[in-house]
Amino acid sequence: MTSEILTRATTASSEQDEIVLVGRARRRDAIFAGLGLFILFVAMAFLLALIADLFVDGFSRIDMAFLTDFPSRRPERSGILSAWVGTCLVMFVTAMLAIPLGIAAGLYLEEYAPKNWLTDIIEINVTNLAGVPSIIYGLLALGFFVYLAGLGRSVMVAGMVLALLILPIVIVATREAVRSIPQMIREGAYGIGADKWQTMWHYILPAARPGILTGAIVGLSRAIGETAPIITIGALTFIAFLPPAPVQPDFPFVNFDWLHAPFTVMPIQMFNWISRPQAAFHVNAAATGVVLLIMTLGMNAIAIWIRFRLRRRIGL
Amino acid sequence: MSSSADAFRPSEAFLRRRRLIDLGMRAVLFLSAALSVFVTAAIVYVLVSESWGFFTEVSLWTFLTDTQWTPVFAQPRYGILPLLTATLWAAGIAIAIAIPFGTVLAVYLSEYAPAAVRETVKPMLELFGAIPTVVYGYFALLFLTPLFQTFIPGLTGFNLLVPGIVLGIMILPYIVSISEDAMRAVPASLREGAFALGMTRLQTTFKVIIPGAFSGITAAYLLGMSRAVGETMVLAIAAGQNPNLTADPREGAATITSYIVQMSLGDLPHGSLAYQTIFAAGLALFLLTLFFNIVGFFLRRRFREAY
């Protein structure tokens, strides 16, 4: 197009030609901007249609009984009690593993890692793991945790595999948060005699906390919705009992039997209900989807809010 | 802080303890980072060792060329082709939608939109990734498929077309985000030079920005493709679970991922050939996505180094 303009500009003697040419280029420019805006609206309309469809189909189905009933053969008496309890327990395990491990790995890569081949290998692995399909993690958990380590198809294995899955998200968030801390904070800490770990613990980690928190929340919201890896480890789709309670009235007051209990989670319950032919079960699926959406979108809203506040604070 | 308050120097014991903690934490942090290497190794080990048994029973040649996949039939056939073509059909439809839409949207956000619009739209696009994939599956099967059936004749209840389109929308934000990063990494001086020559933003985009960000944009396409190939739930729900070597995306067909889901839902005896098939299928999927990821990784690294 450039050469076209140049040759036209030199050969065409009349000003009229140039005006036409510029006018056409401007028109194309405006059309393209309109096209971008149009695609943006199409994408947003798709998102809204998806959310609206789910709410229309399922919102009226949600009541107290739906949240406190076990799944049943009769759709109108089915509920998601075992599913949401399972989701909470699995998320607890995931958070306990992914957050400390992700922070530690991110901190190492950003603050400690020397520039050598070993660091390169670790970095390439973190990037690659973020791109491995979630169902492959499911196969890893099935072959490695369930059979090789003999942990069974339990809450613990589900929590572990989801932790591995969201680890790259927490690592990347930690690295970005740590990287944005001004160098003078480190120098100030070293200047008053702190060693490396003291600097990290007392200065860097507290300053990076909002960024890390955002990453952890986004990661956990992904983990809540993950279905494929949990199906692969063989989570049951029909569970009409709860895992043993984590707290008990007598010594030692906590009980870890729930870690080994069979379980189901909300996305699996939803998948199970979608797969049934009866339309009444589809309504249950939509209602489960609404609960899931409220949880994941709510968590993301919190993350966006933290990021927004953080930006304002740095702006000051 | 010092254990001997009367002296300026802290005691030897205190310093030794601090040094020990410092070294200990360094080791803990290193091990956490090295976990990623261990996880990759474990994935490769599990996939290879579990599918080893499969490939001693079924030759690699049969696996790659047989046109039927019926592992649980009385006369089992083990050809990955039906699963692979369904996977590539769905991913192909997804990428055919996501590339034009994603590129235009990335150009719009990077070159046209005011900063306020960009900063509002980007977090909204991230919400696409926050929605559980099983919800997308519900939407594809129970809303979009009946809708599309009204104007596409011959579209079956389970098909590859609708999940392919939904996949395209799902990977759209991912492609937008990476290619927009690449476009914004093109130095402002090049952009200003083009404007100074009298180019419009559109001419600048095609003559300067896209050539300058080419490797990054290609990386975005490849990484998007890898996502589409590995996506599971939308296909398991809306594309059916019947292995079907077809050239017609209006028909349903099981992909590699939905086959793994289908088998996992049943009771798979550990060590049986049926159990091993899901690892063989998983290995094929892993290699496929690894290929896209590695090429994408190096292309992305190149655009980061270029400027």
Side-chain angles (χ1 to χ4, degrees), chain A residues 137-138 141-142 146 152-154 157-158 161 228-235 263, chain B residues 264:
Chain A
Y137 281 92
L142 179 65
V146 175
R153 298 154 184 251
S154 57
V157 168
V161 66
I230 306 210
I231 290 181
T232 315
I233 62 173
F263 68 101
Chain B
S264 306

Side-chain angles (χ1 to χ4, degrees), chain A residues 5 11-12 52 83 89 93 107 115 159 188 216 235 238 275 316:
Chain A
I5 294 170
T11 54
L89 294 176
V93 177
L107 200 59
K115 266 210 175 307
F238 188 85
S275 318
L316 281 174

Side-chain angles (χ1 to χ4, degrees), chain A residues 9-22:
Chain A
T10 47
T11 54
S13 48
S14 73
E15 251 176 52
Q16 202 60 38
D17 255 16
E18 285 174 38
I19 292 171
V20 169
L21 208 60
V22 170

